[in-house]
Amino acid sequence: MGKMADINFKEVTLIIGVVTACYWNSLFCGFVFDDVSAILDNKDLHPSTPLKTLFQNDFWGTPMSEERSHKSYRPLTVLTFRLNYLFSELKPMSYHLLNMIFHAAVSVIFLKVCKLFLDNKSSLIASLLFAVHPIHTEAVTGVVGRAELLSSTFFLAAFLSYTKSKGPDNSIVWTPIALTVFLMAVATLCKEQGITVVGICCVYEVFIAQGYTLPLLCTTAGQFLCGKTSIPLSMLQTLIKLIVLMFSTLLLVVIRVQVIQSQLPVFTRFDNPAAVSPTPTRQLTFNYLLPVNAWLLLNPSELCCDWTMGTIPLIESFLDIRNLATFAFFCLLGALGVFSLRYPGDSSKTVLMALCLMVLPFIPASNLFFPVGFVVAERVLYVPSMGFCILVAHGWYKIASKGVLKKLSWIFLTMVILTHAFKTLHRNWDWESEYTLFMSALKVNKNNAKLWNNVGHALENEKNFERALKYFLQATHVQPDDIGAHMNVGRTYKNLNRTKEAEESYMMAKSLMPQIIPGKKYAARIAPNHLNVYINLANLIRANDSRLEEADQLYRQAISMRPDFKQAYISRGELLLKMNKPLKAKEAYLKALELDRNNADLWYNLAIVHIELKEPDEALRNFNHALELNSKHKLALFNSAILMQESGEVKLRPEARKRLLSYINEEPHDANGYFNLGMLAMDDKKDGEAEMWMKKAIRLQADFRSALFNLALLYSQTAKELMALPVLEELLRHYPDHIKGLILKGDILMNQKKDILGAKKCFEKILEMDPSNVQGKHNLCVVYFEEKDLLKAERCLVETLALAPHEEYIQRHLNIVRDKISSSSFVEQPVTPADKSPGIEGDKTPSKNVKDVQSNSRPIQTTKTNNEKSPSKSSKQLGKNTGEENPQKTTREIKEIEKKRVAALKRLEEIERILNGE
């Protein structure tokens, strides 16, 4: 006992082979349950997040300073997740593979520990039983279970290191002790239970290394206190070692308390009902949970991923028959404790260390010192199961040593290991997806509303809202006062467009919220996420413009309950924008930024506010800040590029182009990015490039109105009018009332195709839709002249002049027609058509302004944590997406306009020559 035996290659190979055989199918499982929060939603895994952030946030990526934090500080575990992300991003196979490797490593190290207390054969049996035990599927197949795996690795390594701290003649060897303290700290940074190894080391030192029994220890201490003897040197050395261990542990505890800022996490009665129950219900239930956990180790036939809420009914009376199980458990535990502490010998020492491994690491999850957020959790039994496996192996050894039972014990042991291995293999498939996991849990426990909710969530993620609703409703029946279940029902009704039922469900959830008690901290009495009921209800009713004030009141109510409720500020800011109150919206976003200055979405939202306030420079600065925090923020890339483009500053165009290229790299199937790249190219007179981008936009969206028109316009401006016609035909097939398209088509038909009748139909259709359209009316007058109907042309021009009395060119054309009518020398002759009729490009319409702008493009989106699981959009659009001309022109643009004005005047002269019959 106490002398460490080496492990051989065959034993290691056997253990690794068994682990692989039991867990190979875990490689095909996805991210489920807590993996979603710890992996998929955790920004700490991304390379863009500074490494120091890992040491400031909890296991789930929430800052430790925030009240909603679970206070689970495991930065080294998150670091391994980050390494996985570096190699395979969010592909789950590599995460599961690393978990399997860690479990094999723990099993091998555990074999080395077992050899301190058991013979070689029993040690291998204990290690094999540990490797295949089904209780470990949650820790191994569930990716978040890596915290247990890593912590256990360093836990066992720290213990093994401490066993080498006893030198010759009972001297102290300090190097192993220093290494033990270091490894204990590392284990604690992987998961909190790592600190309990100090208890194992203390028990080992006193009862194993020094060989004391409890009676001997009491006798020696009694003699010293009575002055009959001095402290033996060996005991003095033991005390020194224990003091060093305890001081180191105390230092770690102080640091840990500082990290959580002396705040315990906030849990609700739904997470752990016994924790908020009165005496004696709380004590009776917590004590009963101990035999429940022991039974799961002994008989892991019915495993469940979630044991919260109503899974285990509270024990409210001493007469509850389940108290017998508690009594029997403590009797057995007491008997084993007395045997191990009272009697000398290897057997008692083995039992003692097994009990320590079972009990001490379980203390943080036992609710004895502070409440935890669960009733039973299978993964926290990972280390305690080591003590259980040592007990089983030691018991088997005792039975097998008797000749009569030797064969029977081998048969029984083989059956146990094989059945456990097959159970583990089968259990892994339950973790394949969230749906399979929670459905398997419902087979074990139908009294847990959380499980019904989670099946509903899994179906909701598959857009199967009708089936999801049935599970959410069942959750409300199982637990009628579950606020979250009513919120889920409301959200699903909303997804089904049943807004009346959705509002009723949200109102029910709101009615279950505890009333505000003056002077009492609200957040301490309810889970922070339940406050989302105010956000969800407000988001629902604000769809009705007559209820915007009511929605605002709900946001303000949520903020009054929690002044640090960031999401309430974000949602309220969006609402205030809709209410045309940009200054108040700005205040809301600035308040949210005080709470989280590293949120790219918040800087983006603030940029939208500055656009509303007509402050484009400030908007661009905020867009840039968002991109500094997240260089792939799609909406910031897109809208900042459009803002640069619309600024008219030529020097900003290269950056705008760069951002749009980044945008289409992130959103390759969004036609808007290609369209706006085309518009930029048109601004830069890069006609070939503009044509390429416009065609790509149209390939992605065949009915893209703006892209179709601007491609046709591009052709018409580059002497490719006949190529423009089929594009215009496609545009008018989708949008028959597109006036600019009709004007351009009529112009091309009259001037290039000499199709006067076709052009006439275009202009007449324009006037059917808009009788006051000056361009269409004037061009129709030109058609009448081409048809030699001078009187009709005269009447037409008179009507046109009445619509635009200040247009000098219309008056001049009218005078020419009248002169022609009154001229007796009029001779019919072919009319030379102008290059273009003055409807498309003329005195008032330079080509820059003729460009159609996108009316169906991507709206500005206020990106946020959304409780409804659907994007929230505002009605604002930028730049090329506004459908409005930009009145601000640069000097260069003004010069271009003047050039076009001169060209238009030349065309007017040509028209005048036509009218004069020259």
Side-chain angles (χ1 to χ4, degrees):
M1 175 70 63
K3 186 177 179 181
M4 190 182 301
D6 292 329
I7 54 177
N8 59 53
F9 179 75
K10 289 182 180 179
E11 292 171 330
V12 173
T13 303
L14 177 62
I15 290 171
I16 292 175
V18 168
V19 169
T20 304
C22 288
Y23 286 100
W24 65 268
N25 56 339
S26 70
L27 301 179
F28 304 100
C29 297
F31 294 119
V32 297
F33 203 17
D34 290 339
D35 298 345
V36 176
S37 299
I39 309 295
L40 300 182
D41 298 339
N42 192 347
K43 292 182 180 179
D44 288 349
L45 272 64
H46 301 171
S48 58
T49 304
L51 274 175
K52 66 177 183 179
T53 307
L54 272 64
F55 295 88
Q56 297 169 348
N57 295 348
D58 67 12
F59 188 51
W60 317 98
T62 305
M64 294 292 289
S65 57
E66 292 191 13
E67 198 161 18
R68 62 191 177 95
S69 169
H70 281 218
K71 312 300 181 187
S72 45
Y73 189 65
R74 304 162 191 172
L76 296 186
T77 303
V78 179
L79 184 61
T80 65
F81 292 153
R82 185 164 172 142
L83 291 173
N84 272 120
Y85 187 93
L86 189 64
F87 287 105
S88 64
E89 293 192 348
L90 294 176
K91 296 175 183 176
M93 181 174 285
S94 73
Y95 294 79
H96 290 295
L97 176 62
L98 197 54
N99 270 25
M100 190 170 74
I101 291 171
F102 281 135
H103 179 55
V106 173
S107 300
V108 170
I109 299 172
F110 177 58
L111 172 63
K112 199 170 184 69
V113 171
C114 289
K115 291 195 174 188
L116 291 169
F117 315 110
L118 299 170
D119 66 287
N120 286 341
K121 191 179 296 182
S122 300
S123 297
L124 184 60
I125 287 169
S127 184
L128 287 174
L129 184 58
F130 176 80
V132 304
H133 204 296
I135 202 73
H136 299 154
T137 50
E138 183 171 339
V140 181
T141 310
V143 177
V144 294
R146 186 176 300 174
E148 268 75 23
L149 305 176
L150 285 172
S151 181
S152 300
T153 301
F154 295 108
F155 179 101
L156 294 176
F159 175 67
L160 287 174
S161 175
Y162 188 80
T163 60
K164 298 176 182 178
S165 65
K166 181 180 178 181
D169 301 323
N170 210 27
S171 60
I172 302 175
V173 183
W174 288 107
T175 302
I177 295 177
L179 183 59
T180 297
V181 172
F182 171 75
L183 291 171
M184 176 176 65
V186 174
T188 305
L189 289 175
C190 294
K191 192 177 180 183
E192 298 78 2
Q193 69 181 23
I195 202 169
T196 60
V197 72
V198 71
I200 308 291
C201 293
C202 289
V203 171
Y204 175 85
E205 176 64 32
V206 175
F207 297 101
I208 309 299
Q210 301 301 327
Y212 287 105
T213 61
L214 189 59
L216 179 59
L217 193 63
C218 292
T219 301
T220 304
Q223 288 178 348
F224 169 72
L225 291 174
C226 294
K228 296 180 180 180
T229 183
S230 60
I231 300 179
L233 179 61
S234 61
M235 182 174 283
L236 186 61
Q237 290 175 323
T238 298
L239 282 174
I240 292 172
K241 293 168 75 173
L242 295 183
I243 289 170
V244 170
L245 286 177
M246 297 307 295
F247 178 79
S248 303
T249 305
L250 182 62
L251 184 61
L252 277 177
V253 170
V254 170
I255 294 172
R256 184 68 174 83
V257 170
Q258 288 296 315
V259 167
I260 67 172
Q261 300 182 4
S262 303
Q263 292 179 342
L264 288 175
V266 177
F267 298 117
T268 70
R269 59 190 177 87
F270 301 112
D271 298 316
N272 191 348
V276 294
S277 298
T279 303
T281 300
R282 181 171 65 256
Q283 290 78 11
L284 290 175
T285 305
F286 281 157
N287 282 303
Y288 173 67
L289 294 180
L290 300 176
V292 169
N293 280 279
W295 180 251
L296 287 174
L297 290 172
L298 188 63
N299 179 31
S301 59
E302 293 188 339
L303 300 177
C304 181
C305 63
D306 194 306
W307 294 79
T308 56
M309 304 188 87
T311 303
I312 299 176
L314 298 174
I315 298 180
E316 300 176 317
S317 168
F318 287 101
L319 300 179
D320 193 312
I321 195 170
R322 290 176 293 173
N323 289 321
L324 293 176
T326 305
F327 178 75
F329 171 78
F330 278 107
C331 286
L332 177 61
L333 192 66
L336 289 173
V338 169
F339 169 76
S340 61
L341 291 171
R342 185 170 183 177
Y343 301 105
D346 289 348
S347 182
S348 61
K349 291 178 180 179
T350 300
V351 171
L352 177 61
M353 292 308 299
L355 288 177
C356 286
L357 282 170
M358 287 179 68
V359 174
L360 296 180
F362 186 75
I363 287 176
S366 66
N367 290 282
L368 293 177
F369 299 106
F370 47 82
V372 294
F374 52 84
V375 178
V376 172
E378 293 166 11
R379 63 174 174 263
V380 303
L381 294 174
Y382 191 76
V383 176
S385 69
M386 296 177 183
F388 172 78
C389 292
I390 290 174
L391 272 183
V392 171
H394 183 59
W396 171 86
Y397 172 78
K398 290 292 185 182
I399 296 172
S401 61
K402 298 178 180 179
V404 182
L405 299 175
K406 187 174 182 178
K407 273 190 178 179
L408 193 61
S409 65
W410 273 106
I411 293 172
F412 179 76
L413 178 66
T414 305
M415 288 178 59
V416 167
I417 291 178
L418 286 177
T419 53
H420 276 37
F422 283 117
K423 172 66 178 178
T424 298
L425 190 67
H426 181 265
R427 173 66 174 158
N428 288 334
W429 289 122
D430 290 341
W431 292 78
E432 184 178 13
S433 68
E434 293 211 316
Y435 179 77
T436 56
L437 178 64
F438 297 126
M439 285 301 292
S440 70
L442 279 177
K443 294 175 184 176
V444 176
N445 171 30
K446 290 181 170 59
N447 296 321
N448 186 340
K450 191 174 177 181
L451 293 175
W452 293 99
N453 280 320
N454 284 335
V455 174
H457 285 309
L459 292 168
E460 185 181 35
N461 291 336
E462 297 172 0
K463 307 299 181 188
N464 194 340
F465 298 121
E466 291 287 355
R467 284 190 65 198
L469 181 61
K470 293 178 182 178
Y471 284 91
F472 289 142
L473 287 171
Q474 183 60 32
T476 63
H477 296 150
V478 171
Q479 189 88 36
D481 58 349
D482 181 9
I483 296 171
H486 290 286
M487 289 168 63
N488 292 335
V489 171
R491 185 181 60 254
T492 309
Y493 275 134
K494 183 182 178 183
N495 288 331
L496 292 170
N497 296 317
R498 295 164 64 177
T499 54
K500 182 181 178 182
E501 292 97 327
E503 184 172 349
E504 289 173 356
S505 296
Y506 285 141
M507 291 301 292
M508 173 61 75
K510 183 172 173 284
S511 70
L512 293 170
M513 298 282 284
Q515 299 300 311
I516 299 176
I517 301 173
K520 186 164 184 179
K521 196 172 184 181
Y522 184 83
R525 297 184 293 115
I526 193 164
N529 65 313
H530 284 173
L531 286 172
N532 285 328
V533 67
Y534 294 96
I535 307 299
N536 292 353
L537 182 56
N539 290 345
L540 178 69
I541 66 176
R542 80 181 198 187
N544 184 343
D545 289 343
S546 65
R547 302 181 69 184
L548 298 183
E549 289 292 345
E550 187 180 345
D552 189 34
Q553 177 62 33
L554 286 166
Y555 291 137
R556 282 185 280 133
Q557 189 174 354
I559 290 170
S560 69
M561 291 176 174
R562 279 196 61 164
D564 64 342
F565 193 7
K566 179 178 65 179
Q567 185 55 49
Y569 291 108
I570 295 173
S571 298
R572 185 167 185 249
E574 184 183 350
L575 175 67
L576 290 168
L577 270 180
K578 185 176 181 180
M579 296 170 72
N580 198 25
K581 297 179 180 179
L583 288 174
K584 287 189 175 181
K586 181 180 176 181
E587 290 177 10
Y589 287 133
L590 287 174
K591 184 63 179 177
L593 280 169
E594 288 178 14
L595 300 170
D596 184 6
R597 295 194 66 80
N598 295 321
N599 189 319
D601 296 334
L602 280 175
W603 290 103
Y604 172 83
N605 292 353
L606 189 59
I608 302 304
V609 174
H610 284 293
I611 289 172
E612 286 295 304
L613 293 171
K614 304 294 188 292
E615 298 172 352
D617 292 341
E618 193 63 32
L620 188 56
R621 273 194 289 271
N622 286 304
F623 278 139
N624 291 341
H625 204 141
L627 290 170
E628 286 173 10
L629 293 168
N630 179 6
S631 60
K632 295 182 179 180
H633 195 290
K634 291 181 284 191
L635 290 172
L637 285 168
F638 182 82
N639 289 298
S640 63
I642 303 307
L643 193 61
M644 291 176 177
Q645 186 179 358
E646 283 302 302
S647 71
E649 295 186 34
V650 178
K651 64 181 181 180
L652 292 178
R653 287 180 187 168
E655 180 62 23
R657 185 176 186 276
K658 179 182 175 183
R659 294 188 182 186
L660 285 171
L661 288 172
S662 297
Y663 176 76
I664 62 173
N665 186 54
E666 295 296 316
E667 288 284 347
H669 301 297
D670 185 2
N672 300 292
Y674 301 98
F675 168 76
N676 283 287
L677 278 166
M679 298 299 280
L680 262 180
M682 287 181 74
D683 288 342
D684 289 333
K685 309 302 178 191
K686 297 178 180 178
D687 300 330
E689 185 180 330
E691 180 184 358
M692 176 191 71
W693 292 124
M694 292 296 180
K695 284 182 175 179
K696 283 188 176 182
I698 294 166
R699 276 199 295 271
L700 288 169
Q701 186 179 333
D703 62 344
F704 200 148
R705 194 192 76 161
S706 302
L708 287 165
F709 176 79
N710 282 289
L711 178 60
L713 183 63
L714 178 66
Y715 285 145
S716 72
Q717 291 176 339
T718 53
K720 299 177 183 177
E721 289 88 348
L722 297 182
M723 292 178 66
L725 274 179
V727 179
L728 289 169
E729 292 290 350
E730 183 69 12
L731 170 68
L732 294 170
R733 183 173 71 84
H734 293 292
Y735 306 99
D737 58 349
H738 195 286
I739 290 177
K740 292 181 183 178
L742 287 167
I743 289 176
L744 184 57
K745 181 183 176 183
D747 177 76
I748 295 172
L749 289 174
M750 185 166 64
N751 291 286
Q752 302 298 321
K753 298 281 288 183
K754 308 296 188 290
D755 183 358
I756 305 300
L757 182 61
K760 183 178 181 181
K761 288 180 180 178
C762 290
F763 301 138
E764 286 176 342
K765 186 169 183 180
I766 291 170
L767 295 176
E768 285 176 11
M769 295 182 289
D770 182 10
S772 62
N773 187 286
V774 176
Q775 292 177 347
K777 188 81 170 173
H778 179 270
N779 288 3
L780 185 60
C781 300
V782 176
V783 170
Y784 291 152
F785 183 84
E786 292 283 348
E787 292 178 338
K788 312 296 189 295
D789 193 342
L790 298 182
L791 294 177
K792 199 168 185 180
E794 180 190 24
R795 288 195 300 273
C796 178
L797 286 168
V798 169
E799 293 171 0
T800 307
L801 189 60
L803 293 173
H806 301 295
E807 295 291 353
E808 181 271 337
Y809 74 93
I810 299 176
Q811 180 65 60
R812 191 166 66 249
H813 293 173
L814 177 59
N815 292 337
I816 292 172
V817 171
R818 283 175 174 170
D819 289 344
K820 190 65 67 178
I821 292 172
S822 62
S823 173
S824 58
S825 61
F826 177 72
V827 180
E828 292 186 8
Q829 55 182 300
V831 178
T832 305
D835 291 337
K836 290 192 179 184
S837 61
I840 299 297
E841 288 190 357
D843 296 66
K844 306 296 283 185
T845 316
S847 64
K848 166 87 177 170
N849 293 336
V850 171
K851 289 182 188 176
D852 193 24
V853 286
Q854 186 177 351
S855 62
N856 62 340
S857 65
R858 188 187 196 96
I860 294 300
Q861 176 178 336
T862 306
T863 311
K864 60 189 183 64
T865 307
N866 193 286
N867 303 305
E868 297 296 330
K869 293 188 177 180
S870 63
S872 170
K873 300 190 177 183
S874 74
S875 61
K876 306 302 171 190
Q877 297 178 326
L878 274 179
K880 294 296 179 188
N881 307 331
T882 61
E884 297 177 0
E885 297 176 359
N886 189 345
Q888 298 179 347
K889 307 294 178 187
T890 63
T891 303
R892 181 175 175 180
E893 285 176 318
I894 291 171
K895 289 180 179 178
E896 290 175 355
I897 291 170
E898 289 304 319
K899 289 179 183 178
K900 292 168 185 171
R901 209 179 274 276
V902 171
L905 287 173
K906 288 182 179 179
R907 283 191 287 277
L908 285 175
E909 289 173 2
E910 292 174 1
I911 292 173
E912 288 173 9
R913 284 198 296 273
I914 293 171
L915 296 173
N916 285 321
E918 295 177 1

